[in-house]
Amino acid sequence: AGWPVLAEPTATAPALAAGAELITHGTLVVNVDALALRPTGVVIAGRPTLTRWVGRLMRTVGVVHVVDKNPQWTDVAHAATSVSRWLRPADLVARQTDPAWLASWRDAEDAATRAVAKFLGEAPWPTGLRAAREIVAALPADAVLFLGSSNPVRLVDLVAVPRVDLRVYANRGVAGIDGSVSTANGLTLGLGARGYALLGDLTFLHDANGLLLGPDEQRADLTVIVLNDVGGGIFSLLEQGAPEHEAGFERVFGTPHRVDIARLCAAHGVPHRRAESVDDLTAAIGEERGGLRVVEVPVPRDGIRELHAALATAVRDAIR
C-alpha cells in the first residue's frame, strides 16, 4: 500500500522479506511529534507489546484497524475501531497514500539513522545501546537470535539496524524472564542453527540452571551474551527511575547483586569470556567453538535514563 511500516524486532525480517516500507528506528521516529508525519489512522498487524510510543500513537489517531487471527482481540485501552482476520480494501484508512507524506517518513528515517549513528559513535563505550547495535550487526547470516525481556529487546528495537537474514525471537505478551536460557537452548536445537541469546544479568541469573545439561544431552551451538549492569536497568527508564524515587530505588528496583558470572559458568563447566571492548565483543561473536558458552559485557547502569533521553532528543532535533 506504500505505507510506512513500524515493526518490533521479531517482525523486522519478515517485513523486509515482504518488501514492506520498513522504517529503521521507527520507535524513535514515531516519538517525534511532527505535523508532516502525523497519520490519520493505523493498521495493527498482531499485538504491539513493546513500546509506549506505539501505544500512544494508537490512542491518538482517528482510526485503528486491527488484523489478528483472533477476532476477540483484547483491547484494554479501547483503541481499536475495527478488527478482522485479514486486511480488506474496505478496512483501509485511505486507498492511496500521498507520495509526499511517505517521502516525509523516508526523510525522517534518514535523519534518524544519521542521528543514531552519530550519537552512538560519540558516546563512550560501554553502553547497552551501543552493545546491542554492535551485536546485531556482527551476527553471522542465518543465525537465530533470542532477545530477553526488559532492556535487551528494547535496545535492539531502538538502535539496531534490521536484517532480513536473522531469525529473531522473544517472549512477549506477559514478557516474563522465566526460562530464557532454556528457551534459547530449545530454539537453537529445534531450528538446527547457530544461536545467540542477548539477556540482561537478572534474566540470565533467573535461569542459571539452564546452563546445567546432562552428560548425554545434545549441546546447542548457543552463545549467551549477558549485558551485566548489576541490576534491573529497565526500571531506570520507567516512572520508578525518576529523581524523586532515588532514596528507595536501588534496593527495591535496582536490585543489585554480587554474582561473579565467570565463576558461575565455571561451576557449570561452561566457557566464559568477558568483552571489555567492541573488538572483544565482535571477536567473541565470530568465534566458532560450538556448544554452549557465555559472553559477558559489563555495562554501567548509572546515567541510563539520561542517555536514552539524550538519544530521543538527538533524533527529534534531527528530524525537526
Side-chain angles (χ1 to χ4, degrees), residues 199-211:
L199 309 178
D201 51 303
L202 295 184
T203 297
F204 172 74
L205 294 175
H206 198 63
D207 190 32
N209 280 345
L211 300 176

Side-chain angles (χ1 to χ4, degrees), residues 146 179-186 199 203-204 207-208 210-211 222 224 292:
F146 176 79
S180 294
V181 176
S182 301
T183 299
N185 255 314
L199 309 178
T203 297
F204 172 74
D207 190 32
L211 300 176
L222 174 64
V224 179
L292 177 63

